[in-house]
Amino acid sequence: MSEFHSGLRVLRSAFVAGALSMAVCVLSGKAKHETSPEAVLQVRLYDRAQVPAETLQLAMGESSRIFKMAGIKLDWNQPSVEPSEDRGLDMSAADARRTGGDREYLVIRILRTTSANVFPGALGFALPFAQSGAHVEIFYDRVLATARSRNAIPYLVLGCAMAHESGHVLLRSSDHSSGGLMQTNWNELTWHLASKGLLAFLPGEKSQMRQRVLAFQGSPKLNILVYRSSG
Amino acid sequence: MTSGGLQAAEREADGLLAPISLNSQWVDCTAPVVPAACGSAHPRSDLIVRILPKALEQADANALRIAGHSGDYDTAFIFYDRILALRTQTRLLHVVLGHVLAHEITHLLAPEAGHSASGIMRASWSANDLDVGGSSCHGLSRQVALLMHQQAMQRISTRYAENE
């Protein structure tokens, strides 16, 4: 089953069946990039699926763990009010490899149900070049279905799905790798490795994503934090 | 106060402090989406500005602000009620607040410099300083400007050392 997709352009081409040549990144010791400067990516998460709180927290933790191994710290926000710039989808940018104007944060939206003809079989999709709205949408009904069919824990499936689609955004690509977290088709073995925490981004992907997050942050600056107290 | 009003004041302060090249950025920690920089474990090298609705009891009767420490952080407290009271048709709110911000950032980065006879570090400003098209300038001595710049650079270095 094809479970991950990115961008509208690859809707068809992503459905590649067959055996996987899976490269698994086994974790050992401290990740190379866990030192200064810290790469922090702000993530705005909108849970439209009303995912059980514990499942959501654990899924966020799983995504954070995966990105931490790439030297990227995820800073999660769940705004109660959705700012206009985060609403909707910017599909016009699916094919346009635009430069500049990129948002320095990630918007993930979890939807409860999805029509069967929307990205059939996919757990979600990414719009790496979206300049407004969600970068990533996850289909929670399919997360639950996959968890059942793969005998996996729902939070693990959700966490991996968010990490995979976010990877597309940071890599600015709808392409998939032949192994690791960014592969297209996840079979039983893949999920088994994921459940053991043995699935990660490939080294080249880690480096590319980290550089991107650091570029968001720009040159080091002195932060002046301003707090406005209400009356 | 609105975030737009705050941003206008920050731009005003940036203009006053521009000659010092602080390489700083304002982070609104009460925005609807809280920036990552405002997390609980942010570095001690960050400067904090707290805009309070009313003046603190321990503040002098006419004080617009106090610079000091809050926990491990160098913090400026700004009294919004007193800033509002200074506003007139020609003395715009963001201009007054911008001057106060620039004044307090200077205190935080160069506490030993104290007040001066002219410029933004005067202990109290005249109406002319704050009116539209008024005569105010940063008016900091070269020594104080260098001290502030050095302090800012040191804090930026510390910030990244703390992350290691």
Side-chain angles (χ1 to χ4, degrees):
Chain A
M1 182 168 64
S2 184
E3 288 164 343
F4 291 113
H5 292 283
S6 168
L8 302 178
R9 191 164 57 86
V10 294
L11 177 57
R12 299 283 180 261
S13 62
F15 286 92
V16 179
L20 298 170
S21 169
M22 188 162 55
V24 177
C25 299
V26 178
L27 315 174
S28 60
K30 193 176 181 182
K32 184 183 174 184
H33 292 299
E34 280 183 14
T35 54
S36 169
E38 188 177 33
V40 182
L41 176 65
Q42 192 184 17
V43 183
R44 299 182 184 179
L45 177 66
Y46 298 101
D47 174 19
R48 297 278 182 78
Q50 294 177 304
V51 176
E54 189 184 16
T55 300
L56 188 60
Q57 286 302 316
L58 289 169
M60 289 157 66
E62 180 63 13
S63 290
S64 293
R65 188 191 65 78
I66 291 167
F67 272 97
K68 188 180 177 189
M69 292 187 298
I72 297 168
K73 180 184 175 190
L74 297 186
D75 180 62
W76 296 89
N77 268 277
Q78 291 181 265
S80 52
V81 178
E82 197 167 334
S84 56
E85 69 267 22
D86 293 352
R87 292 180 199 147
L89 291 173
D90 177 16
M91 296 199 180
S92 66
D95 279 327
R97 303 242 163 185
R98 298 179 186 178
T99 55
D102 291 332
R103 289 172 289 169
E104 299 177 358
Y105 56 86
L106 205 66
V107 179
I108 299 177
R109 188 177 294 127
I110 306 174
L111 305 176
R112 173 160 283 281
T113 56
T114 314
S115 171
N117 58 1
V118 175
F119 295 105
L123 293 182
F125 68 94
L127 295 168
F129 307 102
Q131 295 187 344
S132 64
H135 291 102
V136 169
E137 284 198 345
I138 302 292
F139 310 136
Y140 191 60
D141 53 346
R142 297 185 195 172
V143 166
L144 292 177
T146 300
R148 280 192 298 272
S149 66
R150 298 293 184 182
N151 197 26
I153 310 167
Y155 85 77
L156 179 75
V157 180
L158 180 57
C160 286
M162 290 196 294
H164 176 100
E165 300 301 344
S166 300
H168 281 301
V169 178
L170 291 181
L171 293 167
R172 292 172 66 78
S173 169
S174 52
D175 297 339
H176 289 97
S177 62
S178 57
L181 195 88
M182 293 308 291
Q183 62 188 287
T184 311
N185 301 324
W186 287 39
N187 58 21
E188 208 161 311
L189 176 60
T190 323
W191 284 114
H192 175 71
L193 291 167
S195 71
K196 302 290 182 192
L198 297 177
L199 211 59
F201 291 106
L202 301 179
E205 293 165 348
K206 289 180 186 176
S207 169
Q208 198 179 332
M209 290 191 303
R210 183 178 151 78
Q211 287 307 313
R212 179 143 186 79
V213 174
L214 286 173
F216 283 159
Q217 293 173 198
S219 61
K221 291 189 186 301
L222 169 66
N223 279 345
I224 305 172
L225 310 184
V226 182
Y227 295 84
R228 292 173 280 152
S229 303
S230 53
Chain B
M1 86 170 310
T2 64
S3 65
L6 177 61
Q7 285 168 14
E10 290 167 353
R11 284 195 294 274
E12 183 75 18
D14 283 341
L16 291 165
L17 296 173
I20 303 167
S21 300
L22 292 179
N23 199 20
S24 60
Q25 63 183 355
W26 301 94
V27 183
D28 184 359
C29 292
T30 37
V33 178
V34 180
C38 305
S40 57
H42 62 85
R44 286 187 297 274
S45 52
D46 290 351
L47 301 180
I48 311 286
V49 172
R50 292 191 182 276
I51 301 176
L52 306 178
K54 292 184 186 306
L56 295 171
E57 283 180 7
Q58 63 264 41
D60 291 344
N62 296 318
L64 300 175
R65 69 273 154 167
I66 291 179
H69 299 274
S70 175
D72 288 334
Y73 299 97
D74 292 323
T75 305
F77 299 91
I78 293 174
F79 311 140
Y80 193 57
D81 56 341
R82 295 185 179 174
I83 306 278
L84 274 176
L86 285 176
R87 179 175 59 173
T88 66
Q89 279 190 326
T90 56
R91 196 183 300 154
L92 304 179
L93 183 61
H94 74 272
V95 175
V96 181
L97 182 55
H99 276 68
V100 173
L101 288 171
H103 182 102
E104 289 312 301
I105 297 304
T106 304
H107 272 315
L108 294 178
L109 288 176
E112 58 272 43
H115 289 120
S116 63
S118 62
I120 58 167
M121 291 316 288
R122 287 166 58 154
S124 58
W125 294 311
S126 68
N128 191 38
D129 288 326
L130 299 171
D131 281 350
V132 174
S135 61
S136 72
C137 61
H138 79 85
L140 298 170
S141 69
R142 179 178 162 77
Q143 189 183 352
V144 172
L146 281 172
L147 186 62
M148 289 175 70
H149 181 78
Q150 188 183 0
Q151 263 290 321
M153 294 303 109
Q154 201 170 333
R155 283 170 182 267
I156 290 169
S157 303
T158 306
R159 175 188 180 80
Y160 286 98
E162 285 177 5
N163 284 334
E164 285 188 2

